[in-house]
C-alpha cells in the first residue's frame, strides 16, 4: 500500500482543492499514466496515484507556494509556474499520506525533469503533456506522435523539451539551466543507444 487512502478517496479530496479544469486534467494524466505504465512495464498503481496527484498544489496561490521555497531548486525560482511541483510532492506526503519515494519524486520532477529519471518519473512527465482531456491537440500530438514512432520515453521527453525551449526563447523568458542539462543528457544517451538508427533531431 502506497497510501491509506483509496483512489476514490484521493479523488474526493483532490476535487476540493482544484479547479474543475485542473481536476479534469489530473484525471487525464492518471489515465494516460496507467496506459504508459502498462506499455512500459511499470507499477500501474504507482502510476495511477502519481498521475492523479501530480498537480495537487497547482491551484494554490503563488504567495502561499512561497512557504515551500526551501524545496525549490535555484533555477525553479525563476518561474512561478514550476513551484507547484516541489510543493506538490510535500503536500502529497502530508495530506494524502503518500509513503512511496518514487511516487513523490515523480510528482516533484514532472515539470523541469532531472538527470537519471526512473521509468515512472518519465511516464508522469510525458503523461502530463499528452493526456487527451485538456491538452491542445497541436502540442499533444507532436509528443505522442514521437512516442508512437519511436516507442521511447526518452525520445518523447526530448520532443517535449525541444518544444518548451523553443517556446521560452520565442517569448524571451528565462530557461532553467537544469532543463538544458536534462535535454543534453537525454540527447546524448538517446543518440548513443540508437547509433545505428536515425538520430534524434
Amino acid at each position: 500500500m502506497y497510501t491509506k487512502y483509496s483512489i476514490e478517496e484521493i479523488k474526493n479530496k483532490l476535487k476540493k482543492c482544484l479547479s474543475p479544469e485542473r481536476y479534469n486534467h489530473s484525471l487525464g494524466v492518471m489515465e494516460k499514466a496507467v496506459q504508459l505504465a502498462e506499455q512500459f512495464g511499470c507499477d500501474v498503481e504507482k502510476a495511477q496515484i502519481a498521475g492523479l496527484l501530480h498537480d495537487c498544489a497547482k491551484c494554490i496561490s503563488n504567495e502561499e507556494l512561497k512557504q515551500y521555497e526551501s524545496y525549490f531548486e535555484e533555477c525553479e525560482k525563476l518561474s512561478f509556474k514550476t513551484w507547484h511541483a516541489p510543493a506538490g510532492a510535500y503536500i502529497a506526503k502530508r495530506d494524502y499520506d503518500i509513503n512511496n519515494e518514487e511516487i513523490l519524486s515523480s510528482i516533484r520532477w514532472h515539470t523541469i525533469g532531472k538527470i537519471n529519471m526512473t521509468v515512472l518519473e518519465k511516464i508522469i512527465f510525458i503523461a502530463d503533456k499528452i493526456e487527451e482531456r485538456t491538452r491542445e491537440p497541436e502540442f499533444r500530438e507532436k509528443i505522442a506522435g514521437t512516442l508512437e514512432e519511436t516507442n521511447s520515453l526518452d525520445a518523447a521527453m526530448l520532443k517535449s523539451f525541444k518544444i518548451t525551449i523553443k517556446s521560452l526563447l520565442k517569448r524571451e523568458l528565462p530557461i532553467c539551466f537544469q532543463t538544458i542539462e536534462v535535454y543534453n543528457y537525454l540527447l546524448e544517451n538517446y543518440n548513443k543507444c540508437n547509433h545505428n538508427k536515425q538520430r534524434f533531431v
Side-chain angles (χ1 to χ4, degrees):
M1 293 291 292
Y2 303 123
T3 172
K4 66 183 179 183
Y5 296 108
S6 69
I7 290 296
E8 288 307 311
E9 288 173 326
I10 293 174
K11 286 180 180 179
N12 290 334
K13 285 171 65 69
L14 192 63
K15 199 170 187 178
K16 297 173 183 177
C17 303
L18 300 179
S19 67
E21 182 179 8
R22 186 57 53 178
Y23 178 69
N24 193 34
H25 166 70
S26 298
L27 293 179
V29 175
M30 177 189 71
E31 293 161 357
K32 185 58 67 174
V34 167
Q35 178 186 328
L36 293 176
E38 292 171 344
Q39 180 178 347
F40 291 97
C42 190
D43 187 308
V44 171
E45 186 181 359
K46 284 184 180 180
Q48 186 179 32
I49 294 170
L52 185 58
L53 286 175
H54 80 287
D55 269 355
C56 64
K58 187 67 174 181
C59 292
I60 297 174
S61 69
N62 293 337
E63 197 60 39
E64 189 176 346
L65 284 174
K66 285 182 180 178
Q67 70 180 290
Y68 303 101
E69 189 172 359
S70 62
Y71 299 100
F72 298 175
E73 295 289 315
E74 278 302 312
C75 68
E76 286 177 309
K77 297 175 183 179
L78 294 171
S79 174
F80 66 85
K81 291 185 177 182
T82 65
W83 296 355
H84 69 284
Y90 179 87
I91 290 168
K93 184 173 185 177
R94 184 191 68 191
D95 295 350
Y96 296 88
D97 191 49
I98 304 302
N99 55 41
N100 180 269
E101 288 302 319
E102 191 177 21
I103 293 174
L104 295 173
S105 185
S106 297
I107 295 169
R108 167 64 185 95
W109 298 108
H110 82 271
T111 53
I112 65 172
K114 67 171 184 172
I115 290 174
N116 283 328
M117 292 174 77
T118 66
V119 173
L120 178 63
E121 289 168 342
K122 292 175 183 179
I123 282 172
I124 301 306
F125 183 95
I126 294 166
D128 182 38
K129 312 300 186 292
I130 66 172
E131 61 87 6
E132 298 166 0
R133 285 177 177 250
T134 65
R135 289 301 190 193
E136 292 293 330
E138 183 180 3
F139 171 73
R140 170 175 53 81
E141 289 171 3
K142 289 177 181 177
I143 301 167
T146 297
L147 181 62
E148 183 177 353
E149 180 182 344
T150 64
N151 196 40
S152 167
L153 295 170
D154 283 356
M157 289 189 67
L158 279 165
K159 188 66 173 182
S160 176
F161 278 121
K162 190 173 182 179
I163 293 169
T164 298
I165 291 168
K166 279 185 175 179
S167 175
L168 291 170
L169 287 171
K170 185 176 181 180
R171 291 178 289 160
E172 298 184 350
L173 294 174
I175 301 174
C176 176
F177 67 84
Q178 187 162 317
T179 296
I180 303 298
E181 288 180 351
V182 176
Y183 174 82
N184 288 338
Y185 173 83
L186 286 169
L187 184 63
E188 179 182 359
N189 281 273
Y190 180 78
N191 285 337
K192 187 184 298 181
C193 293
N194 295 272
H195 62 279
N196 291 324
K197 302 177 183 178
Q198 183 176 2
R199 292 167 66 85
F200 185 87
V201 293

